[in-house]
């Protein structure tokens, strides 16, 4: 009797381990198809203007005439700052990956066949029937 109970619990443990090591379906991960990359560059540009002017007096004589030339000198220095913004926008189209299927091994094929819901249901019903039959045979009175 103890041997039959051990056999039943061992069969039940094997069934649970088989159910827990089931197969998983393929999941597709969504991938973006167009990617936009924007880069903004801010910079200040300095543009300077430097003008130098000078004054000098030139005295020269020609005979009895004295000539005086006067030249004015000016210094002009200006800075001009410009704010420049450059926007670089790049678009890149990404190819959508497709599923590449490989040939399944014998073990993977066996898991797919024996882990279907129909087979699991049949195994559960058969295990229940065997368990009921064992308990009925144990409780049945024997004629001596």
């Amino acid at each position: 009797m103890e041997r039959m109970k051990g056999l039943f619990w061992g069969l039940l443990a094997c069934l649970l381990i088989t159910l827990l090591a089931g197969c998983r379906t393929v999941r597709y991960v969504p991938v973006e198809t167009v990617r936009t990359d924007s880069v903004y560059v801010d910079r200040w540009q300095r543009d300077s203007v430097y003008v130098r002017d000078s004054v000098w007096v030139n005295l020269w004589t020609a005979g009895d005439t004295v000539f005086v030339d006067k030249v004015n000198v000016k210094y002009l220095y200006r800075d001009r700052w410009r704010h420049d913004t450059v926007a670089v926008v790049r678009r890149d189209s990404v190819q959508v990956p497709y599923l590449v299927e490989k040939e399944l091994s014998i073990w993977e094929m066996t898991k797919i066949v024996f882990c279907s819901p129909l087979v699991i249901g049949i195994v559960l019903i058969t295990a229940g029937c065997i368990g009921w039959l064992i308990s009925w045979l144990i409780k049945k009175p024997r004629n001596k």
Side-chain angles (χ1 to χ4, degrees), residues 21-77:
C23 303
R24 177 181 286 183
T25 59
V26 177
R27 292 188 197 173
Y28 292 99
V29 178
V31 178
E32 60 181 345
T33 56
V34 176
R35 181 174 45 200
T36 303
D37 186 19
S38 300
V39 178
Y40 292 98
V41 179
D42 290 338
R43 61 182 172 190
W44 287 91
Q45 290 182 340
R46 178 181 164 193
D47 188 13
S48 62
V49 177
Y50 183 67
V51 177
R52 190 181 88 185
D53 196 5
S54 60
V55 176
W56 72 85
V57 177
N58 189 7
L59 293 172
W60 55 282
T61 59
D64 60 346
T65 308
V66 177
F67 294 99
V68 177
D69 294 333
K70 183 178 178 184
V71 179
N72 291 329
V73 176
K74 293 181 191 176
Y75 290 99
L76 182 64
Y77 183 77

Side-chain angles (χ1 to χ4, degrees), residues 110-125:
T110 305
K111 284 196 319 186
I112 289 174
V113 169
F114 289 113
C115 291
S116 67
L118 179 65
V119 173
I120 292 172
I122 290 172
V123 168
L124 286 175
I125 291 172

Side-chain angles (χ1 to χ4, degrees), residues 120-139:
I120 292 172
I122 290 172
V123 168
L124 286 175
I125 291 172
T126 306
C129 290
I130 290 174
W132 176 79
L133 185 62
I134 290 173
S135 67
W136 182 73
L137 285 176
I138 291 173
K139 292 180 183 180

